Each structure stands twice: as structure tokens, then as C-alpha cells.
């Protein structure tokens, strides 16, 4: 019987266990998007995970979603990440950078640029993060047909910088209503050209971004995260089984390191996608918009349904020793939501290991 503590080979990496730290925005960088010593310590504290996936990292200034999030689009940013990857590797870990283009989920006061999207459609009833606080999501500028491939290739450019910074690979953020998910969406993407309309059109941007990253650093060092049916940031989809079945069929031919699925739709659909995906599957086993923190029972359930690896988000925030706590069936500490995005080390580096 497969357990969380069995070793596993994913792409070019051998993982000592099947526990993955999910990507989580923590807004601890500086205004220039540079990683810092606190971030290095934060990831090093959690290096016993089989794989760490970084917070979302913008591939360009245009791709920045939130203030004080890190980037991988300048030499200085890439160099700043070296302290993080070195700290993780010294502590025996492995780390992928999650490349996250915010698309329309941004604000001009955050990046200095008008956000872009597949269509000039604002996210409805959504307040985005901005330097002055939460503000209504603006109407994005629709990307021209010539610009769309350029934005797809921005993921590859960031992947090259991530490799130079010492990351073991990258994960493309195709989930939770950001740019890739906006192209998949039937209400954020109203295009009538080759990047919209039909299922084949709506999946094209995701496939081109994955192809570009795989060509840039090798497919065995590229994963992608998806959230079928999540509806986060007002990015809704129709024909979910057909849409994601078609997307996975195209991605499967690339032989990527892994597919990372959130439990954002019904279990039957997710199990169908497991059967359709021939490679390594990571499952994040609780709904991304829900209040439930994933634990051992959720992990065992999805391992039984065919997942290869299990990612934990909130549980890793408050439990830097999560692997040891799960192994010994120790109680999990709860994270303080007030400190998720406030900056500083409180609620970031201050969670202790379990005291026997």
C-alpha cells in the first residue's frame, strides 16, 4: 500500500517522500520583487517535504498581481533567489518556482501598468490587492493576437532565470483565476480568434506556455497547476470534463514532470482526469476556497484514488515540521490568517516545531 512516506521519482528528481508544500502567496519580498533572508529561512524550515513549490513568482512586471510579491524577470531578482535555493538544498530539500502571471487580477497602482487579459472583461464583484488596500478589479486591456504568444513565452523566460537561480524546476500557475485560467474560462475569455471560442482555442494558451517552458529548460523540470471548476477571481468554465480532458491530452504529449490538480470540482471528474493523465499527479486535496485544512486522512484518501503526491498548503504555514507531524500522527497547529499577507517575520518564521 502506498504511503505518504514512500520515496518517489518525479521528472528528474528523486523525492524522499510524497509530501509537497503547495505554493502560497506570502508577500514578503521588497518593492523590487527581490527575495530576502527571511524567505530563505522560511523555505529552509520546510525542506523535509519531498518537494517545495514556491509562492507565485511574476514572470514580468506586467504579470505582477499583488504588491510585494517576488519576480523572476530581472538579473537582480534571479540572483536574490540564490540564497533561497541554496538554503533549501543545504537542508536536503528540492524546490520548484511557481511562475504566476496575474493577468487581469492586478491593478495599475501595483505594477504601474494596465492589467491585461484575454478579453477586456473585468472580474465581477472582485477586490484585488493594491498598495492602498483592496480595490475593485479594473477592466483589463485585451491582449492583441500578436501579444498572446509573447505572454506565453514569458513563462519560459522566467523558467530560464529560475534555473540560473538554482531552482530544480518550475510550476506554471494555470489555476485560481490567473492568466492561464482566464484563457480557459468561458466568461473571462470572449475571444473569437484562435485563442478563444472553442475548447481547442481556450486551451491553446496553456499548451503554448507549457511547450515554451519545456523547450527552455526541459520538460522533466516543468509542472503545471490547474483548478478545474474553481471559479476563483470570477474565472468560470463550461464543459469542465471536456475542457480539461482536451487540455490534458495536449499536455500529456509534452511528458511534463507533473500535473498538480486542486480538488476544486467533484471527485468523479477529478478521478476521470487522473485516468486521463499518464504521468505524475499531485493532488491538493481540499477545495482552495474552503476553510478546511488538509491532513493525513485527506492525503490517504487521494493516494487511494491514484494520486502520486499530495500537496499541503495551510498546514505547512503553521507546521514547518509537517512531515514529522504527519509521520508521528501529532496534532497540527493552526495558522493565523491575520499574518498571511501582513509582511514581517511574525506568522512567517515564528511557528515552532512540535514540543513533546
Amino acid at each position: 500500500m502506498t504511503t505518504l512516506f514512500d520515496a518517489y521519482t518525479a521528472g528528474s528528481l528523486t523525492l524522499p517522500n510524497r509530501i509537497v508544500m503547495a505554493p502560497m502567496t506570502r508577500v514578503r519580498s521588497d518593492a523590487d520583487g527581490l527575495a530576502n533572508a527571511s524567505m530563505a529561512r522560511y523555505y529552509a524550515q520546510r525542506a523535509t517535504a519531498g518537494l517545495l513549490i514556491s509562492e507565485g513568482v511574476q514572470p514580468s512586471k506586467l504579470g505582477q498581481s499583488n504588491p510585494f510579491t517576488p519576480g523572476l524577470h530581472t538579473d537582480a531578482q534571479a540572483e536574490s533567489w540564490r540564497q533561497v535555493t541554496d538554503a533549501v538544498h543545504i537542508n536536503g530539500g528540492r524546490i520548484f518556482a511557481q511562475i504566476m502571471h496575474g493577468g487581469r487580477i492586478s491593478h495599475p497602482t501595483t505594477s504601474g501598468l494596465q492589467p491585461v487579459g484575454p478579453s477586456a472583461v473585468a472580474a465581477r464583484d472582485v477586490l484585488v490587492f493594491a498598495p492602498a488596500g483592496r480595490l475593485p478589479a479594473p477592466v483589463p486591456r485585451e491582449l492583441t493576437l500578436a501579444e498572446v504568444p509573447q505572454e506565453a513565452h514569458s513563462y519560459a523566460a522566467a523558467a530560464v532565470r529560475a534555473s540560473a537561480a538554482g531552482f530544480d524546476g518550475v510550476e506554471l500557475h494555470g489555476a485560481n483565476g490567473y492568466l492561464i485560467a482566464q484563457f480557459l474560462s468561458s466568461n473571462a475569455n470572449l475571444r473569437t480568434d484562435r485563442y478563444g471560442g472553442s475548447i481547442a482555442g481556450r486551451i491553446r494558451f496553456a499548451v503554448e506556455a507549457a511547450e515554451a517552458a519545456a523547450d527552455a529548460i526541459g520538460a522533466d523540470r516543468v509542472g503545471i497547476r490547474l483548478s478545474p471548476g474553481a471559479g476563483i477571481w470570477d474565472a468560470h468554465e463550461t464543459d469542465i470534463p471536456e475542457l480539461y480532458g482536451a487540455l490534458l491530452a495536449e499536455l500529456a504529449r509534452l511528458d511534463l514532470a507533473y500535473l498538480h490538480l486542486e480538488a476544486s470540482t467533484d471527485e468523479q471528474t477529478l478521478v476521470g482526469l487522473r485516468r486521463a493523465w499518464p504521468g505524475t499527479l499531485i493532488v491538493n486535496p481540499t477545495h482552495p476556497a474552503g476553510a478546511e485544512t488538509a491532513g493525513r486522512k485527506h492525503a490517504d484518501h487521494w493516494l487511494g484514488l491514484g494520486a502520486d503526491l499530495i500537496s499541503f498548503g495551510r498546514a505547512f504555514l503553521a507546521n514547518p515540521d509537517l512531515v514529522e507531524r504527519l509521520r508521528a500522527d501529532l496534532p497540527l497547529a493552526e495558522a493565523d490568517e491575520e499574518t498571511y499577507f501582513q509582511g514581517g517575520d511574525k506568522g512567517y518564521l515564528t511557528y515552532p516545531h512540535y514540543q513533546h
Side-chain angles (χ1 to χ4, degrees):
M1 176 181 174
T2 301
T3 78
L4 276 174
F5 312 104
D6 296 335
Y8 184 81
T9 299
S12 58
L13 293 177
T14 298
L15 313 181
N17 57 63
R18 295 174 183 245
I19 298 169
V20 176
M21 177 173 156
M24 292 170 286
T25 297
R26 301 308 309 274
V27 294
R28 259 65 178 192
S29 75
D30 69 5
D32 294 320
L34 301 178
N36 54 50
S38 290
M39 293 166 65
R41 185 177 173 196
Y42 170 78
Y43 287 107
Q45 285 177 342
R46 292 154 177 82
T48 52
L51 177 65
L52 301 173
I53 305 172
S54 82
E55 61 213 278
V57 182
Q58 57 255 18
S60 63
K61 193 65 176 173
L62 185 61
Q64 183 175 4
S65 182
N66 304 317
F68 299 105
T69 51
L72 270 170
H73 52 91
T74 70
D75 290 342
Q77 289 168 349
E79 180 60 30
S80 74
W81 276 109
R82 176 62 71 172
Q83 64 191 305
V84 177
T85 58
D86 283 350
V88 169
H89 293 148
I90 288 169
N91 282 273
R94 295 135 299 275
I95 184 168
F96 271 37
Q98 190 194 61
I99 310 302
M100 172 183 152
H101 192 309
R104 69 177 184 168
I105 303 303
S106 184
H107 197 272
T109 60
T110 295
S111 66
L113 300 167
Q114 183 69 16
V116 297
S119 300
V121 178
R124 300 165 298 182
D125 302 318
V126 163
L127 298 178
V128 298
F129 292 95
R134 303 292 293 273
L135 297 174
V139 176
R141 179 177 64 81
E142 180 175 313
L143 290 165
T144 68
L145 184 59
E147 288 176 316
V148 175
Q150 296 172 11
E151 295 309 304
H153 279 80
S154 73
Y155 294 86
V160 171
R161 290 191 186 276
S163 182
F167 283 99
D168 298 294
V170 300
E171 175 180 282
L172 275 57
H173 196 349
N176 297 356
Y178 298 107
L179 186 60
I180 290 175
Q182 289 160 31
F183 273 93
L184 295 173
S185 168
S186 49
N187 71 317
N189 182 357
L190 304 182
R191 302 179 75 97
T192 57
D193 59 22
R194 63 195 303 266
Y195 290 99
S198 67
I199 284 176
R202 284 190 285 139
I203 68 173
R204 193 180 308 278
F205 182 80
V207 175
E208 289 186 359
E211 285 177 331
D215 287 345
I217 65 169
D220 63 341
R221 300 179 64 205
V222 177
I224 188 168
R225 192 179 206 211
L226 303 172
S227 57
I232 296 173
W233 295 121
D234 190 39
H236 298 277
E237 302 145 351
T238 55
D239 305 316
I240 292 169
E242 295 80 8
L243 176 72
Y244 281 90
L247 175 57
L248 265 55
E250 288 295 306
L251 294 175
R253 63 183 176 78
L254 303 180
D255 199 21
L256 301 178
Y258 64 77
L259 168 68
H260 189 177
L261 284 181
E262 297 180 10
S264 50
T265 189
D266 64 276
E267 188 170 290
Q268 181 179 356
T269 298
L270 293 171
V271 170
L273 296 178
R274 161 69 285 185
R275 293 174 182 149
W277 180 250
T280 294
L281 176 67
I282 305 174
V283 170
N284 191 253
T286 56
H287 196 287
E292 191 174 16
T293 298
R296 180 73 181 270
K297 68 175 183 178
H298 303 92
D300 289 342
H301 176 72
W302 276 102
L303 287 174
L305 290 176
D308 300 298
L309 305 167
I310 305 295
S311 68
F312 297 85
R314 283 166 288 197
F316 254 121
L317 296 186
N319 301 275
D321 57 341
L322 181 63
V323 174
E324 291 73 20
R325 293 196 192 215
L326 293 173
R327 192 190 306 273
D329 198 24
L330 298 171
L332 302 183
E334 293 188 9
D336 177 8
E337 292 188 25
E338 295 296 320
T339 64
Y340 282 3
F341 312 122
Q342 73 173 15
D345 288 348
K346 182 180 178 183
Y348 190 59
L349 302 181
T350 53
Y351 290 109
H353 285 224
Y354 184 79
Q355 302 296 313
H356 290 275

